[in-house]
Amino acid sequence: APVSGSVFRFTGAANAEVKGFEILAAESGVTGESCDGVDVVSCRIHDVGSFGGDGVSFARSRRCRVIGCEIWNIGRNGVILGGGTPDTLDESGNEVYGCEIRNTGVVNRHGNGIQLDGQGGRAICNHVSDTPRYGICPHGRIHLVASNRIERTNLETEDCGAIYTGGYSAVGTRIVDNWISESVGRARRNGKWTSPCFARGIHLDEAIGNVTVTGNIVENSSQGSMCLHSARFVTISNNLFISNAREGGNSPQIDFHGWTDATNSLYLRSRRPAILKGRERLVSANPAWAERYPAVSRHPDELFVNGHMMRDVKVTDNVFYYPDQPSSPLMWAVNFETNRNNNVFIRNTIADTPPGRFPKPHPCAHPYHR
């Protein structure tokens, strides 16, 4: 179907299933809009997609699932699922489970392995590898990214993470028990392309709030295990961060930085209007957002303390191991020792011997999994 928009397209469909197909040679594999309960199960989807084409794509949908599929050689995203509105705090129920996804972004180098839009999506027990951009991007609110194996990501882009999420009104996401290896990064420096360069394992960007990062393994990422940019009300605990900061060996294992309230700051020059609009849309649609999530309960201008927006970040009980990066500092930017803005960096360990590894996560006993 080389001139077809997609092999399977659903509009306003409910309670449907695409199962056991091999899908190739079209603009996209399976697409849907305004659907409820459409499943794509045990399919092999490959060699589809131009600049805007995806393996599986559902927009403004709920309870749509991609389960036990093998997806590779895709023009843009392997899977992108979106749904849910700020009118309620309900989860969309969209899910990517037990899939093998690799070699995305063949035409559009900003293609991700998995992207979750809207709110309440789940990416669980997937193996994502060899992507030019993010492995998994939970963009929006109250998503769950859990028990995924993610390796060799950000092979052709910079300023990115194997797991990337951000946005002032993007609250409530959980990143749990994932194993991340080799977030690489590639960038133009002094007129030449260079790699590894400017990529992290987990990147929390643009003043994201109320995120939990726990139980993850992050190893061999080029510019550190994590980056937190103006993060607020975030907890990072019980993770293993192993041999990161491989770009020259002198970038930090974990990087904290962010906006200030200075007159010429990026926040005032550029970000403030969109932040105010997004927060007002969320809170006016349902005041329960502000009641449940402190990150959106107050006006952004009120959150600055000592000139900084980053606040209430708790980094506790993590293990850092990096003897092969002796020039790398543990962290940059925020002075946790003075507990500025209620940030806390306590009970973290710098290990002298390699910490134990977890085995590769196995897909859970999902009723559709084979």
Side-chain angles (χ1 to χ4, degrees):
V3 297
S4 173
S6 55
V7 177
F8 291 93
R9 177 165 179 78
F10 297 88
T11 303
N15 304 316
E17 182 179 74
V18 177
K19 184 175 182 180
F21 284 90
E22 182 164 6
I23 301 170
L24 68 158
E27 178 77 13
S28 292
V30 182
T31 61
E33 184 173 344
S34 303
C35 294
D36 186 350
V38 178
D39 291 345
V40 182
V41 182
S42 301
C43 290
R44 303 176 77 236
I45 303 172
H46 61 97
D47 298 286
V48 301
S50 62
F51 189 85
D54 306 304
V56 180
S57 172
F58 282 89
R60 292 174 289 280
S61 299
R62 61 190 300 267
R63 298 191 304 139
C64 292
R65 302 181 297 175
V66 184
I67 302 170
C69 293
E70 186 178 7
I71 300 171
W72 75 98
N73 290 354
I74 306 298
R76 187 173 64 170
N77 300 299
V79 178
I80 178 169
L81 303 179
T85 71
D87 296 339
T88 72
L89 276 69
D90 295 336
E91 299 184 3
S92 66
N94 296 325
E95 181 177 271
V96 187
Y97 183 95
C99 293
E100 175 82 23
I101 301 173
R102 63 185 183 274
N103 295 345
T104 61
V106 173
V107 181
N108 184 341
R109 299 307 200 213
H110 285 271
N112 307 315
I114 298 170
Q115 182 167 325
L116 302 174
D117 290 339
Q119 65 193 43
R122 301 184 292 270
I124 303 174
C125 293
N126 302 286
H127 183 200
V128 179
S129 67
D130 301 288
T131 63
R133 192 70 170 157
Y134 316 127
I136 300 179
C137 178
H139 178 68
R141 303 169 293 278
I142 53 177
H143 295 304
L144 173 64
V145 179
S147 300
N148 300 283
R149 180 72 170 106
I150 308 170
E151 53 186 337
R152 296 186 303 279
T153 57
N154 304 302
L155 296 177
E156 298 189 46
T157 54
E158 64 174 321
D159 194 12
C160 39
I163 297 176
Y164 175 95
T165 182
Y168 189 93
S169 300
V171 294
T173 288
R174 293 171 292 154
I175 300 172
V176 182
D177 295 343
N178 302 282
W179 183 1
I180 297 169
S181 304
E182 296 179 284
S183 179
V184 179
R186 182 172 183 261
R188 190 93 170 155
R189 295 290 184 269
N190 299 319
K192 297 181 179 180
W193 288 103
T194 182
S195 182
C197 184
F198 204 16
R200 290 92 174 202
I202 300 172
H203 192 144
L204 306 182
D205 205 1
E206 295 284 320
I208 198 167
N210 291 107
V211 172
T212 300
V213 179
T214 186
N216 301 280
I217 301 175
V218 181
E219 61 179 352
N220 299 322
S221 295
S222 69
Q223 205 181 46
S225 58
M226 286 192 66
C227 171
L228 290 85
H229 180 266
S230 296
R232 300 158 302 123
F233 303 95
V234 168
T235 299
I236 301 166
S237 64
N238 296 289
N239 301 282
L240 298 180
F241 298 132
I242 306 169
S243 296
N244 295 288
R246 308 190 73 80
E247 181 190 339
N250 56 4
S251 56
Q253 295 297 309
I254 186 167
D255 185 1
F256 308 89
H257 63 279
W259 296 321
T260 71
D261 60 358
T263 303
N264 63 344
S265 69
L266 181 63
Y267 169 73
L268 291 179
R269 286 188 289 108
S270 172
R271 299 298 196 266
R272 186 175 182 273
I275 284 175
L276 296 182
K277 183 178 179 180
R279 175 187 175 273
E280 178 59 28
R281 176 176 177 266
L282 195 66
V283 175
S284 63
N286 192 330
W289 287 106
E291 296 170 5
R292 181 176 297 184
Y293 297 108
V296 294
S297 64
R298 294 165 59 188
H299 191 284
D301 293 347
E302 298 176 357
L303 292 178
F304 286 94
V305 178
N306 298 327
H308 294 268
M309 178 176 280
M310 181 177 286
R311 60 180 300 145
D312 291 272
V313 174
K314 318 296 184 187
V315 185
T316 68
D317 302 289
N318 302 282
V319 175
F320 295 84
Y321 175 77
Y322 55 107
D324 51 345
Q325 303 293 348
S327 299
S328 171
L330 177 61
M331 60 180 178
W332 275 356
V334 172
N335 185 355
F336 283 92
E337 293 180 0
T338 62
N339 199 29
R340 179 185 297 173
N341 296 10
N342 204 30
N343 296 304
V344 173
F345 192 100
I346 58 174
R347 296 194 306 273
N348 298 284
T349 300
I350 300 177
D352 296 325
T353 57
R357 286 173 173 263
F358 299 150
K360 176 179 176 179
H362 291 282
C364 311
H366 197 288
Y368 276 119
H369 185 68
R370 300 291 182 266

